[in-house]
Amino acid sequence: MQDKDRPDTRPVAPEGSAENAKRRQILDGARRVFLAQGFDGASMGEIAKVAGVSKGTLYVYFDSKEALFEALTLEEKKGLAEVLFKLDVDDPDVRAVLTRLGRTYLEHMGNPAHISSVRMVIGAAEKFPRLGQTFYEAGPRQGLARLGAYLDSQVKAGRLSIADTRIAAQHFLDLCQSGTMRRLLFAYGGPPTREEIDGNVTNAIRVFFAAYGPDAGR
């Protein structure tokens, strides 16, 4: 889809590091506009203004608002799974590894900027499902895959007993954020406190190991 006020004449795209810097400038401006006005409320004209570029320059890099939104989503999620789900497969203390993951994960999930991004994507996903799919594939899906691979290694090592590690990975993350994400998405209360995070993760570990510990089901 092309923006209705897209100009007919567009400049030639710059090259090299200047191009990367300009793209970064546009994405930063787009983030501010999307977060403030939502996907439907944002316009390419306003994004160009906030980013400090001409509309012609904006269209050199992104030919529609949807393409810009998708690029911003990928940029923000790129590498996040590797940072959050850095799991030591050789550490025999699985409880400690998952506890660290749970705390880091919940801290990120409860960050106001992340909550704003989730709301923004949810608001656009009904009209443009591809945007929601991009967000999910770039973030949650990658995290689940990495956690599932870690759980596979722990099953092979005899430290866990799991029939389906993909489902178990989802169980663990859902247990960690139990109740927290729901209230934050509805703007009820502030970010989770250290006590809330520790409490959620402690309960998640207890329930997870009751279901998937090495002696589960025996």
Side-chain angles (χ1 to χ4, degrees):
M1 178 186 295
Q2 295 186 347
D3 196 283
K4 63 181 180 181
D5 54 3
R6 175 175 177 171
D8 293 328
T9 302
R10 295 179 292 167
V12 177
E15 297 180 355
S17 60
E19 179 179 9
N20 293 331
K22 187 65 68 176
R23 187 177 189 275
R24 178 74 269 157
Q25 181 181 339
I26 291 170
L27 289 173
D28 288 342
R31 181 186 297 104
R32 294 198 295 274
V33 175
F34 281 132
L35 289 177
Q37 301 181 18
F39 179 82
D40 284 336
S43 71
M44 292 292 267
E46 180 65 16
I47 291 170
K49 179 180 177 181
V50 172
V53 300
S54 70
K55 245 173 145 173
T57 298
L58 177 58
Y59 279 108
V60 167
Y61 291 88
F62 304 101
D63 64 6
S64 69
K65 186 169 68 170
E66 292 81 3
L68 177 51
F69 189 91
E70 185 169 354
L72 180 62
T73 298
L74 289 171
E75 183 78 12
E76 294 195 335
K77 291 297 180 183
K78 183 173 63 179
L80 184 61
E82 286 81 355
V83 174
L84 289 180
F85 293 82
K86 192 175 291 185
L87 304 164
D88 185 357
V89 298
D90 296 320
D91 188 339
D93 192 344
V94 181
R95 287 177 182 267
V97 172
L98 291 180
T99 295
R100 289 192 294 271
L101 168 63
R103 288 171 177 163
T104 303
Y105 176 75
L106 200 48
E107 285 170 359
H108 170 74
M109 295 296 287
N111 185 289
H114 174 73
I115 297 299
S116 295
S117 294
V118 172
R119 289 198 194 106
M120 181 173 63
V121 172
I122 290 174
E126 183 173 0
K127 188 174 181 181
F128 301 103
R130 174 61 190 164
L131 300 180
Q133 293 164 10
T134 298
F135 184 89
Y136 181 80
E137 290 170 359
R141 185 177 180 182
Q142 294 299 317
L144 283 171
R146 290 181 69 87
L147 179 52
Y150 169 77
L151 296 179
D152 280 334
S153 70
Q154 300 312 299
V155 170
K156 291 178 182 177
R159 297 168 186 151
L160 292 172
S161 177
I162 304 174
D164 189 327
T165 53
R166 180 187 61 82
I167 291 176
Q170 187 67 73
H171 283 169
F172 179 72
L173 297 180
D174 287 347
L175 286 166
C176 285
Q177 64 181 4
S178 177
T180 301
M181 276 297 290
R182 186 179 299 111
R183 72 170 181 79
L184 292 176
L185 285 173
F186 286 101
Y188 186 84
T193 63
R194 170 51 61 186
E195 291 73 19
E196 184 178 358
I197 290 173
D198 288 346
N200 271 31
V201 174
T202 296
N203 287 329
I205 291 292
R206 177 176 54 80
V207 174
F208 186 83
F209 273 86
Y212 300 118
D215 298 322
R218 293 181 183 176

